[in-house]
Amino acid sequence: MSRFALSVAAAAMLAGAFPAVAQDGTTTKDSYRFVVIPKVVHPWFDKVNDGAQMAAAAIEAQTGATVEINYSAPQSADVVQQNQILESSIATRPDGIAIDLLDPAGNRASLEDAQYQEIPLVLFDSVPPEGMMIPYIGSDFCEQAKIASRRLVEILNEEGKVAIMMGVPSAPNHSIRAECHREVFAEYPNIEVVAEGIDNDDIQIAQQQAAAIMQAHPELDGWVASDAAGPVGIGQAIVEAGKQGEVQLVGLDNLDEMLDLIRDGVADSSSASQPELQGYWSVMLLWQQATGAPVPNFIDTGNAFITQDNVDG
């Protein structure tokens, strides 16, 4: 092969190795790889992953590029484990990382490392650490909590003793919901918060916490939660104690177990975020960032209120 022919071949190979630039200044590639990191192994996050996979399929269908989703969950709600996954992901140079923060302060250094290395980021079901500009996706956590706590106040006729399950107290979404529950209950002089449990987004721990609190407060009238695992564990504890109809429960989110509790009459209702949409739009925003397109700072996926009347659609 002549020297000219070799130069042409090398140029062609190099051209194929770099993204193509469109007229609007964005770039396209033949393949993308995005990492999705939830708080913990949990069925709520399985729904997030389902949404992420749907977005990958949509991008592939519309662009012809291949899209790989690497879903990697900590075994427990431990910020050290989550940061290890985040740092390992950064080292592989993905096209973007979506993460649900366990602790904004504890996650901050790893997030700053990703930004320093110019890896696109998206937060889902969370808010950014103070002062950091990261696009985020989720529902209005405070509104979601207030829908639940106001419903509990309504069915208790504005009078009674209630308890709050807090989830992971350091997690932004869980702490916001817990505080907004307290704000609603404080509006009613005959509603008293007698206990607050911590379940770390674990159904079994939530069941244990709820059982212990109901034993310590046999006069308890109702429950709300700040995470998806909480109301499922609370419902199990209510059934085990034989207190269906005696202790009211307004849940959070739409896990299958939560929907069964509503169908069975153990829970009155649930204020639900939409995890599939959060996964879907996380990948879409990462892809848009990877192409150089502008993205919004926040996408609100909304809340749904689920009762026996609409639990089956």
Side-chain angles (χ1 to χ4, degrees):
M1 186 179 293
S2 69
R3 180 176 297 176
F4 174 75
L6 282 171
S7 297
V8 170
M13 291 176 63
L14 285 172
F18 290 99
V21 180
Q23 288 185 338
D24 63 359
T26 60
T27 61
T28 59
K29 294 170 56 179
D30 293 335
S31 64
Y32 298 89
R33 183 173 60 84
F34 301 117
V35 177
V36 178
I37 306 173
K39 281 190 180 77
V40 66
V41 174
H42 194 294
W44 190 90
F45 294 109
D46 293 341
K47 293 176 180 283
V48 172
N49 190 29
D50 290 343
Q53 299 294 340
M54 286 189 283
I59 296 169
E60 288 181 339
Q62 293 295 324
T63 68
T66 60
V67 180
E68 178 182 356
I69 304 296
N70 295 153
Y71 178 80
S72 186
Q75 288 300 310
S76 62
D78 182 332
V79 69
V80 174
Q81 285 187 34
Q82 191 181 46
N83 282 337
Q84 288 172 343
I85 294 173
L86 179 54
E87 291 289 349
S88 297
S89 301
I90 292 169
T92 66
R93 303 292 305 172
D95 293 295
I97 299 173
I99 182 170
D100 183 356
L101 302 183
L102 271 166
D103 183 338
N107 291 122
R108 188 182 190 99
S110 297
L111 295 172
E112 289 176 341
D113 185 21
Q115 287 186 323
Y116 177 76
Q117 299 197 44
E118 299 183 344
I119 296 174
L121 291 173
V122 162
L123 307 182
F124 62 91
D125 202 37
S126 186
V127 295
E130 186 174 355
M132 292 192 76
M133 292 294 293
I134 303 174
Y136 64 107
I137 298 166
S139 61
D140 183 327
F141 308 127
C142 188
E143 177 191 44
Q144 183 187 11
K146 287 185 173 181
I147 289 170
S149 42
R150 284 179 176 144
R151 173 63 177 172
L152 182 62
V153 168
E154 178 186 354
I155 60 180
L156 293 179
N157 295 317
E158 303 184 7
E159 183 177 5
K161 299 182 187 301
V162 300
I164 301 170
M165 193 67 78
M166 293 194 292
V168 181
S170 63
N173 53 347
H174 296 181
S175 64
I176 289 171
R177 289 173 186 141
E179 183 56 32
C180 291
H181 285 316
R182 297 184 192 105
E183 289 177 6
V184 168
F185 295 141
E187 296 171 3
Y188 297 89
N190 294 323
I191 292 287
E192 180 184 3
V193 179
V194 297
E196 296 186 354
I198 296 174
D199 63 38
N200 284 324
D201 216 353
D202 183 293
I203 291 173
Q204 185 176 3
I205 295 174
Q207 186 274 331
Q208 294 167 349
Q209 288 271 302
I213 287 172
M214 288 192 292
Q215 187 172 17
H217 300 276
E219 75 286 6
L220 189 72
D221 297 300
W223 277 100
V224 290
S226 308
D227 63 317
V232 177
I234 294 167
Q236 292 173 349
I238 289 174
V239 171
E240 289 171 0
K243 293 195 171 187
Q244 301 98 311
E246 179 182 346
V247 177
Q248 304 296 327
L249 166 62
V250 179
L252 210 72
D253 284 322
N254 61 345
L255 297 187
D256 292 343
E257 296 94 330
M258 183 70 247
L259 302 182
D260 285 341
L261 290 170
I262 295 173
R263 292 188 186 98
D264 296 342
V266 178
D268 168 80
S269 51
S270 185
S271 178
S273 60
Q274 305 190 69
E276 295 90 347
L277 285 181
Q278 296 195 36
Y280 184 92
W281 286 107
S282 290
V283 170
M284 284 294 181
L285 288 197
L286 289 178
W287 171 61
Q288 290 177 331
Q289 289 184 75
T291 68
V295 298
N297 292 330
F298 173 58
I299 291 180
D300 185 348
T301 54
N303 295 305
F305 185 59
I306 303 170
T307 68
Q308 282 195 335
D309 292 335
N310 64 4
V311 67
D312 292 313

